[in-house]
Amino acid sequence: MQILRIDSSTTGEQSISRKLTDLITQHFTEANPDAELVRRDLVENPLAHIDPITTKALRTPPETHEEAVAAAYPDERAVLDEFFASDIVIIGAPMYNFSIPSQLKAWLDRLGVPGVTFKYSDSGPEGLAGGRKVVIASSRGGEYSNEQMAENQESLLKTFFEFIGVDDLHFVRVEKTGFGPDTIEEGMKAAKEQIAEL
């Protein structure tokens, strides 16, 4: 078994999403002591935004790659293979300006590959990346309902992972982190209860 942990918060020790990914990782490693834990910190080691070379590296057959694309292919494909090799994926996803950090979006862009993680048919899109549990550690400074049009963080992630076929998807959320320590403590307590049930 492999557990993949992804962090994207830029706020270091103050990060609530990183505190959540710590707790979620601890929960699953204690339940699966023989599992291999793989960490990818998108702030310490950011992925560049995709460009024509990286897009072609991911979306075209290796035998067609010219020199620059061939050079990019191993690192680009490694991100995708790391995800496919994982049985549990833990993602730290704070809300930044009503969406997700651009570092996390760059990672998602490596997972959305036609013919690999999804395909189109006469009946519509079909996800090909199921068979794994994805747990998203969500933190938000305010409080948002799922119906709010301004909420483009969790809705984006839910849409994306369902599109590529992930049907075992969970959110552990701490909201109102901008309201002060007491509110954060209350939110973390509730999050711990959610994690215990995963």
Side-chain angles (χ1 to χ4, degrees):
M1 169 180 273
Q2 178 168 296
I3 299 170
L4 174 61
R5 171 178 171 170
I6 303 292
D7 282 298
S8 63
S9 169
T10 61
T11 55
E13 293 181 359
Q14 303 303 313
S15 169
I16 301 302
S17 70
R18 287 179 184 268
K19 289 179 171 65
L20 289 174
T21 55
D22 280 342
L23 291 171
I24 298 166
T25 301
Q26 180 181 355
H27 171 78
F28 283 113
T29 54
E30 288 179 353
N32 304 279
D34 296 329
E36 179 183 358
L37 176 62
V38 177
R39 298 173 184 263
R40 183 178 283 272
D41 190 319
L42 298 172
V43 176
E44 288 185 4
N45 297 291
L47 296 167
H49 295 297
I50 56 172
D51 60 23
I53 290 174
T54 54
T55 299
K56 192 171 184 180
L58 286 167
R59 296 187 174 208
T60 60
E63 62 270 17
T64 68
H65 292 170
E66 58 266 32
E67 185 176 352
V69 177
Y73 176 77
D75 288 342
E76 297 301 310
R77 182 70 196 199
V79 176
L80 186 58
D81 289 343
E82 190 176 73
F83 177 78
F84 270 120
S86 300
D87 303 281
I88 299 170
V89 181
I90 302 162
I91 302 167
M95 175 188 275
Y96 283 5
N97 300 313
F98 303 105
S99 188
I100 59 173
S102 61
Q103 295 93 332
L104 183 56
K105 179 61 167 61
W107 181 75
L108 293 178
D109 286 338
R110 269 96 176 156
L111 304 187
V113 182
V116 179
T117 57
F118 70 93
K119 66 179 181 179
Y120 291 107
S121 67
D122 292 339
S123 58
E126 177 185 346
L128 305 174
R132 58 196 36 80
K133 181 188 295 290
V134 174
V135 182
I136 295 172
S138 169
S139 61
R140 317 200 274 204
E143 186 173 21
Y144 301 85
S145 73
N146 292 332
E147 291 77 28
Q148 285 178 304
M149 293 300 290
E151 201 289 276
N152 300 309
Q153 170 220 18
E154 290 186 7
S155 58
L156 183 157
L157 293 165
K158 182 176 186 292
T159 299
F160 178 83
F161 283 108
E162 289 180 350
F163 183 81
I164 66 170
V166 174
D167 55 10
D168 192 358
L169 178 65
H170 307 266
F171 286 85
V172 176
R173 181 185 307 111
V174 175
E175 292 196 298
K176 300 169 70 175
T177 62
F179 285 54
D182 292 343
T183 306
I184 293 173
E185 184 178 353
E186 183 180 336
M188 290 297 294
K189 180 180 178 182
K192 289 176 183 178
E193 293 175 359
Q194 295 176 51
I195 293 166
E197 297 176 358
L198 290 172

